[in-house]
Amino acid sequence: MADLTLEAASPDETFALGERLGRLLEPGDFVGLIGELGAGKTLFARGVARGAGVPEGQVSSPSFAIVNPYQGRLPLYHADLYRLGDVDELYATGFFDLVGSGGAMLVEWVDKVPEAVPASWLCLTFEVLGDSSRRLRAGAVGARPNELLGDWLGYRGTQR
Ligand SMILES: Nc1ncnc2c1ncn2[C@@H]1O[C@H](COP(=O)(O)OP(=O)(O)OP(=O)(O)O)[C@@H](O)[C@H]1O
Ligand SMILES: [Mg+2]
């Protein structure tokens, strides 16, 4: 697993990092977002949606719907597992039908349901450093996520 740590010194920087990742997303990519309340997961997701070409008005917080489908230059599914009890509830939402259906997945609170994670994924962990700064740790599991991480942050690591 390749991993990388960086700092986003402002909300704008977090959004811009998301936007840059969104431009690179391909069908089948799975990005899990981890971090405490207010860490910046949704702001980052908005940036990703923008980068993926999703029209402004489509993006909202999926907290109540569990999964929000967006259409940009590819389908993008924005999920939030915060309110989920367990993996059975996740099955009921149709989440697993979306994984591998030709879109990209962006999943907040993915650590709430460990079974949600596929074999290959990009794991992004947000940590609050101060009022306006966040630490972002990116870990790639699998060949494609490793390539995505490299293209996103200009990093070339070895894949394990
Ligand atoms: N560097 C930063 N990056 C991201 N957000 C920041 C940063 N600095 C301050 N913030 C603020 O932190 C908040 C992040 O909110 P956001 O909804 O993205 O968090 P979240 O991780 O999705 O939380 P939740 O788990 O409650 O959904 C925003 O109000 C944003 O303005
Ligand atoms: Mg959120």
Side-chain angles (χ1 to χ4, degrees):
M1 165 161 153
D3 72 280
L4 212 67
T5 301
L6 62 154
E7 197 180 319
S10 68
D12 284 355
E13 273 190 37
T14 296
F15 186 92
L17 280 166
E19 191 172 6
R20 188 177 158 90
L21 180 65
R23 282 191 227 112
L24 299 167
L25 284 184
E26 292 178 0
D29 285 339
F30 187 108
V31 180
L33 307 177
I34 296 173
E36 65 185 272
L37 293 167
K41 302 178 296 297
T42 297
L43 183 64
F44 182 87
R46 286 176 178 276
V48 171
R50 168 81 62 84
V54 176
E56 197 82 20
Q58 273 192 46
V59 185
S60 58
S61 174
S63 300
F64 297 100
I66 307 294
V67 186
N68 281 350
Y70 307 141
Q71 186 63 51
R73 64 177 170 77
L74 76 172
L76 177 65
Y77 300 105
H78 180 196
D80 188 326
L81 308 188
Y82 184 68
R83 287 179 176 76
L84 273 189
D86 58 23
V87 68
D88 292 334
E89 277 185 41
L90 190 56
Y91 271 108
T93 67
F95 177 88
F96 290 104
D97 301 325
L98 296 174
V99 179
S101 71
M105 305 288 300
L106 190 55
V107 186
E108 295 187 44
W109 286 104
V110 71
D111 48 329
K112 285 267 173 178
V113 185
E115 298 92 335
V117 166
S120 270
W121 64 301
L122 185 62
C123 176
L124 306 181
T125 305
F126 295 79
E127 205 183 317
V128 177
L129 293 181
D131 283 350
S132 65
S133 70
R134 304 289 186 263
R135 178 177 296 128
L136 177 48
R137 212 165 65 238
V141 182
R144 164 60 192 161
N146 197 60
E147 177 191 303
L148 180 60
L149 176 59
D151 291 345
W152 177 36
L153 300 176
Y155 160 81
R156 282 282 156 240
T158 47
Q159 189 219 325
R160 260 179 268 159

